[in-house]
Every structure is written in structure tokens, then in C-alpha cells.
Amino acid sequence: MKQLFIAGNWKSTKGVGEADEWITAFHAKYQTLHTKWKETRIILCAPFTLLHFLKWRIDSLKLPIELGAQDVSPFDSGAYTGEINSQQLAELVRWVIIGHTERRRYFGETDEVLAKKVEQCLARGLQVIYCVGDETLPVPMGVAVISYEPNWAIGTGHADTPHHANRVIEMIKKKSGVKTVIYGGSVTSDNVASFVSESAIDGILPGGASFDPEAFCNLISQATS
Ligand code: PGA
């Protein structure tokens, strides 16, 4: 069985209290389900404000969750007011999402700025999940995982078909040389199994379906059953 990557993306949601409730509920579910999840790498990409708290909770409960951020500064440490840099993130997380559709769409992030962000992460030993909307977009060298996420499928309830996603992912793998490519865009516990059963799809990046711990655990269970 292939090792699956399931990378939840909380987007710009949740405060500390909600994060605490989520972890408590996840922990309870995990106790009953974890034997099935063994081959799965569970990543949780949370807002910057929650990373320190989540790291503490995950470490103290020994949960099998690898923590990730959703963005990073294109600059090193210094006079860049408001930015969170890769050195700061390296104390807290293993993963960083770069180039999410919402960053490109609402914050005008270009391929050039995204390449600088990747460079910053690699310099600090952070692993990058790099998002692309299709197979034509450039992918910087050194990313660990690519997430294929068609723009029209993000948060719309209209996922790509598993068959088409598989074909695009095959092309992305061929073009980029990256071995691990996952799919994101309206994945739920109902459709996840049909995505991960495709030969080229190595996992998924659920947004909305990671907000609720029950839904997220169901999704992991469906993906691994
Ligand atoms: P969604 O988000 O699962 O809510 O469509 C996917 C994503 O954040 O990439």
C-alpha cells in the first residue's frame, strides 16, 4: 500500500479555544482509529497564531500530526514588518504550503515571489507543499510535495474527477520530477477514496473537510480503508 499524505488546511479560521477543542476531539478519535492510519502522514497547516500552541498540544499528546504553516515571507529575518520568516517557522513546523490558489488570487503572489519563498524554506530545512492549478505552472526546484488544485475546485463543492486529476498529476510528475503529488479541491470523506485509489495520486489536501475534527478523522479513515 502506498504511503498517503493528508494535509489539512485550516485556512484563515480558528482561534486558540477552537484549536484546543479540535485537538481534544482528534485525540479521542485517534485512540480508536489509529491502527488503520499507520501508513498515513497527517499534516495540519494552521494559521501562524496557532502554531506555537498546536506544537505544544501535539507534542504533549504524542499525536501523529506534522505541523505546517500556510505561507512564509520571501525575505530573511530583518526589517519586514508583519512578515513571518522561515527561520521563525523552523522552530515550530516541518511543512509550509506555498502558492496556494488563495494566495495567488487574493494577494497577487507571482511565480517569482513564490520561488523566493521556496528558497527561504529550503535554506532552513523546511519541507514545501507547492500548489499549482494545472500542469503548465512552473515548480521551483527542491519542493517535497506538489498539490494539484484546480482553481475552480477550491471551496466550491465541485471536485475534479479522480480520473482527470490522475492524468494531470501524471503530467506534473513527468514535467517536475517530483515524486509525491497530491490533489486538493473539495475533497470530502465521500469522495476521498476514489482519489487516493488512482495510481498517481499520493494523497490529498482538504480545506473545509479539515475544519471539523470528526470530518477530518472520517476522511482519513475513508482514505485508508
Ligand atoms: P477545499 O480547500 O477542500 O475547501 O476545497 C482546498 C484547499 O485549501 O486547497
Side-chain angles (χ1 to χ4, degrees):
M1 193 181 165
K2 64 184 169 188
Q3 184 177 55
L4 288 180
F5 283 74
I6 299 185
N9 175 19
W10 280 0
K11 308 190 186 228
S12 185
T13 71
K14 297 194 193 299
V16 176
E18 290 162 303
D20 192 29
E21 284 168 20
W22 192 100
I23 288 288
T24 303
F26 180 94
H27 180 238
K29 273 268 182 193
Y30 170 68
Q31 307 286 7
T32 59
L33 296 167
H34 69 282
T35 47
K36 283 176 62 195
W37 296 356
K38 269 201 182 109
E39 295 303 312
T40 310
R41 289 189 63 178
I42 302 167
I43 301 166
L44 183 64
C45 299
F48 293 135
T49 49
L50 299 176
L51 295 177
H52 187 266
F53 172 74
L54 284 170
K55 179 173 169 22
W56 169 68
R57 289 286 274 137
I58 288 166
D59 288 352
S60 45
L61 289 171
K62 296 189 170 48
L63 292 174
I65 296 177
E66 299 173 41
L67 208 47
Q70 302 168 3
D71 188 27
V72 64
S73 173
F75 300 107
D76 211 340
S77 173
Y80 303 102
T81 302
E83 287 294 272
I84 305 292
N85 66 61
S86 59
Q87 190 178 355
Q88 293 169 311
L89 287 181
E91 290 185 345
L92 298 170
V93 305
R94 176 177 294 188
W95 294 92
V96 181
I97 296 177
I98 294 180
H100 191 279
T101 299
E102 289 151 11
R103 301 294 317 168
R104 295 179 193 255
R105 185 188 302 158
Y106 300 122
F107 304 95
E109 295 195 354
T110 60
D111 294 334
E112 288 71 30
V113 90
L114 297 175
K116 283 188 188 162
K117 292 182 177 203
V118 171
E119 214 175 282
Q120 288 295 325
C121 285
L122 298 182
R124 301 291 176 188
L126 289 162
Q127 309 253 55
V128 174
I129 301 174
Y130 196 80
C131 301
V132 294
D134 60 49
E135 72 282 8
T136 65
L137 290 180
V139 176
M141 295 287 285
V143 313
V145 173
I146 296 174
S147 186
Y148 159 56
E149 311 205 336
N151 302 349
W152 45 264
I154 309 279
T156 59
H158 301 294
D160 200 348
T161 63
H163 180 67
H164 182 256
N166 193 59
R167 272 187 34 219
V168 175
I169 285 176
E170 278 172 352
M171 287 190 272
I172 290 172
K173 283 186 173 176
K174 210 166 161 197
K175 202 174 147 206
S176 67
V178 173
K179 289 193 172 63
T180 306
V181 183
I182 63 179
Y183 167 78
S186 298
V187 179
T188 64
S189 55
D190 292 335
N191 63 15
V192 67
S194 57
F195 282 102
V196 298
S197 61
E198 292 285 344
S199 59
I201 302 181
D202 299 302
I204 44 147
L205 195 152
S210 71
F211 296 175
D212 175 71
E214 295 273 330
F216 190 56
C217 290
N218 284 343
L219 186 143
I220 299 169
S221 292
Q222 290 300 325
T224 50
S225 62

